[in-house]
Amino acid sequence: MSQVGSALDDLLRLLDLEPLEVNLFRGQSRDLGGKAVFGGQVIGQALVAASRTVEGRWPHSLHAYFLRPGDMAHPIVYEVDRVRDGKSFTARRVQAIQHGEVLLSMICSFQAPEPGLEHQAPMPEAPAPESLRSQPELVREWLASVPQVPARIREAFERRTAVEFRPVEPRNPLLPTVEPPRQAFWVRANGTLPESPLLHACVLAYASDFSLLSTALRPHGVSWLTPGLAVASIDHALWFHRPFHLDDWLLYAMDSPTAQGGRGLSRGQFFDRGGRLVASVTQENLMRKTGGARSG
């Protein structure tokens, strides 16, 4: 098994929750180099838990609040509340629980496919993903530019990834500079996914939490690695508009319209290579100076 393939396989195992009882599931965690469980993992697993209680309908939206950091060394239990089963829509509430406390509270909605009026925002211009430098190549350059990178940070940068990102305009998070509050990445699974629209949606939910927070940090010349800066996701909302395949490239275009009160707001749109808008996301994050943080 290749290193890349094993990373994606590991993510799929994480998303394949263990059923404990009716409406009750358990999932494991992985250390991605942060201080707590990666928020995208918890969102993806919560969406899997909700979907296990729904038949014949697909998720079209989710709204989640991160309430506590998760412990990577222990499993997370997902409790599903079957809020409503309507004629057109199904609603589920999911609580992610660890050590008797709620880490995340999420409500999501499912709908059977149906025709309707359509319009969408145009896809922004971007170079083809094949013309951009790969993530491992950029990581090697970033690490080489900064002597004596702490071992844990180096390991986080070099860790195998289940999802590949290719930035349209690369920015070294170890040497952040002041930039406009927008960025774009081409993103895809690091391997072939099974033909399951639900699984592609859950992997996109996982991937949607990468780099979104950093968009709000760009105009301040800081990154999630800046000493004296506390950053965390506060809430996360995701809408699925059209079918897609995440094992083909999607353009993830992000911007941050505002930051204030120790919080920043970031928005993102996913487009397939044909220019169709397939998903939208918003997130508010904590970006609080705790002492020693310097803006560019």
Side-chain angles (χ1 to χ4, degrees), residues 156-168:
F157 272 66
E158 295 178 336
R159 183 174 282 107
R160 57 197 174 97
T161 59
V163 180
E164 180 181 3
F165 291 85
R166 291 195 179 183
V168 172

Side-chain angles (χ1 to χ4, degrees), residues 9-19 23-32 37-53 62 64 66 70-72 74-80 92-98 103-106 108 110 198-199 201-209 236 238 240:
D9 292 340
D10 187 58
L11 173 59
L12 298 184
R13 285 192 291 269
L14 286 179
L15 294 176
D16 189 16
L17 302 180
E18 175 190 359
N23 302 331
L24 207 60
F25 306 88
R26 179 164 56 200
Q28 303 299 322
S29 297
R30 292 294 181 271
D31 183 355
L32 296 185
V37 175
F38 173 54
Q41 174 204 301
V42 185
I43 291 173
Q45 289 179 328
L47 183 57
V48 169
S51 69
R52 296 275 178 89
T53 70
L62 62 86
F66 297 99
D71 182 350
M72 292 177 282
H74 293 85
I76 300 172
V77 172
Y78 294 88
E79 183 180 35
V80 181
R92 295 290 186 262
R93 181 181 295 110
V94 186
Q95 305 269 60
I97 302 168
Q98 190 179 63
L103 309 182
L104 172 136
S105 183
M106 183 177 91
C108 49
F110 298 75
L198 177 61
L199 182 58
C202 292
V203 176
L204 185 141
Y206 168 86
S208 68
D209 195 32
H236 196 92
L238 179 59
F240 300 102

